[in-house]
Amino acid sequence: ILPSPILHKYVAMAYDYMNYDFWIPGDQDFVEGSDFFLNNLSKISAPIVNTNIYYQDKTVGKSNAIVMFGNIRVGITGTINDDLHKYLEAPTDSDFIFKDQTLSLNPVMPELSEKTDYLILLSHSGIERDRQIAKKFPSIDLIIGGHSQTILNQPEQIGSTYISQVGESGYRVGIIKVIFENKRVHQIKSSVILLERNMPDDPAVVDMIKNYHKERLSGSGN
């Protein structure tokens, strides 16, 4: 992925509009360099949870979060493939450092696991690395992954950890429903929805696309 400031500006706007609870950046989010990332992506409403992305010796976002769903304490943290640079067509800003994933998760997992009833890892690492992480950190209950563009119509189970990925480019939405009884997981239901052309468009996103094309064609950028 090559730099395209106008396109990535509108992508950041779409991220913000979708009103996520938390997110972990992927390789394409770094192609515009640190100024763009800090002024656009790091300011969207959803906080970044991350253990191994650093900028000027500081963690990008926060390492973890704990949220309540009824009386269930859910811990959320994130990680990104530390080989990220080799997947980019253009070099990322040298101020970003992607530290070893295992070493970065080591200090976070025991404490977060102790404080929570259910532990979710947001991962932009690829399916093979997710499998390795699941084996290394069995306290993780669910890995929501990306990067390898793998489609898992049902979550893959390794030990007590479930791994979910739903492919590339936002063509699919994954839904995982975790049902608890007495703070223990009773049942997990999942589905993958393919976003098809006959589905209604969101008017606000359509406007973003139109404005993007207008700005791009005006000659003010790519």
Side-chain angles (χ1 to χ4, degrees):
I1 301 296
L2 294 172
S4 180
I6 294 177
L7 172 61
H8 290 120
K9 179 182 75 173
Y10 280 94
V11 169
M13 292 168 61
Y15 281 173
D16 197 29
Y17 176 72
M18 285 187 280
N19 198 29
Y20 291 115
D21 292 311
F22 301 96
W23 71 295
I24 179 75
D27 45 295
Q28 298 177 26
D29 296 311
F30 294 96
V31 297
E32 303 294 347
S34 59
D35 286 346
F36 181 91
F37 188 96
L38 296 172
N39 292 325
N40 293 273
L41 290 166
S42 68
K43 292 184 178 179
I44 70 173
S45 56
I48 295 170
V49 283
N50 146 66
T51 54
N52 71 320
I53 308 168
Y54 282 74
Y55 175 75
Q56 295 182 346
D57 296 325
K58 293 181 180 180
T59 309
V60 173
K62 53 186 179 180
S63 66
N64 64 86
I66 298 175
V67 294
M68 297 297 297
F69 289 88
N71 66 342
I72 306 297
R73 298 167 301 173
V74 177
I76 301 171
T77 187
T79 187
I80 187 171
N81 195 312
D82 47 36
D83 294 332
L84 176 115
H85 292 282
K86 71 181 183 181
Y87 296 98
L88 299 174
E89 296 181 30
T92 60
D93 193 298
S94 60
D95 288 329
F96 285 114
I97 297 173
F98 306 94
K99 295 189 177 183
D100 181 276
Q101 290 181 280
T102 297
L103 293 178
S104 299
L105 287 168
N106 272 334
V108 175
M109 285 302 170
E111 182 179 358
L112 194 58
S113 178
E114 186 176 324
K115 292 180 177 179
T116 59
D117 304 302
Y118 196 79
L119 184 50
I120 298 173
L121 176 71
L122 306 182
S123 171
H124 193 88
S125 310
I127 188 64
E128 291 302 328
R129 188 69 64 86
D130 285 345
R131 289 166 178 157
Q132 294 171 16
I133 291 172
K135 293 175 183 177
K136 177 69 176 177
F137 300 99
S139 62
I140 299 172
D141 295 291
L142 174 63
I143 298 175
I144 300 176
H147 187 54
S148 58
Q149 303 182 351
T150 306
I151 300 172
L152 298 175
N153 290 312
Q154 292 294 322
E156 179 178 320
Q157 186 174 2
I158 295 180
S160 59
T161 304
Y162 288 84
I163 301 171
S164 176
Q165 289 200 25
V166 292
E168 80 284 5
S169 303
Y171 291 136
R172 298 166 186 83
V173 173
I175 298 175
I176 297 178
K177 186 176 183 179
V178 183
I179 301 170
F180 291 85
E181 284 189 1
N182 298 321
K183 290 194 174 183
R184 293 184 179 274
V185 177
H186 172 68
Q187 188 177 13
I188 294 179
K189 298 180 179 180
S190 68
S191 59
V192 176
I193 300 172
L194 178 64
L195 302 182
E196 300 180 287
R197 290 183 180 274
N198 61 355
M199 292 180 174
D201 294 322
D202 186 294
V205 176
V206 171
D207 285 342
M208 288 182 199
I209 295 170
K210 290 178 179 178
N211 291 333
Y212 158 67
H213 285 295
K214 286 179 183 178
E215 191 168 344
R216 179 177 61 86
L217 294 173
S218 72
S220 58
N222 295 322

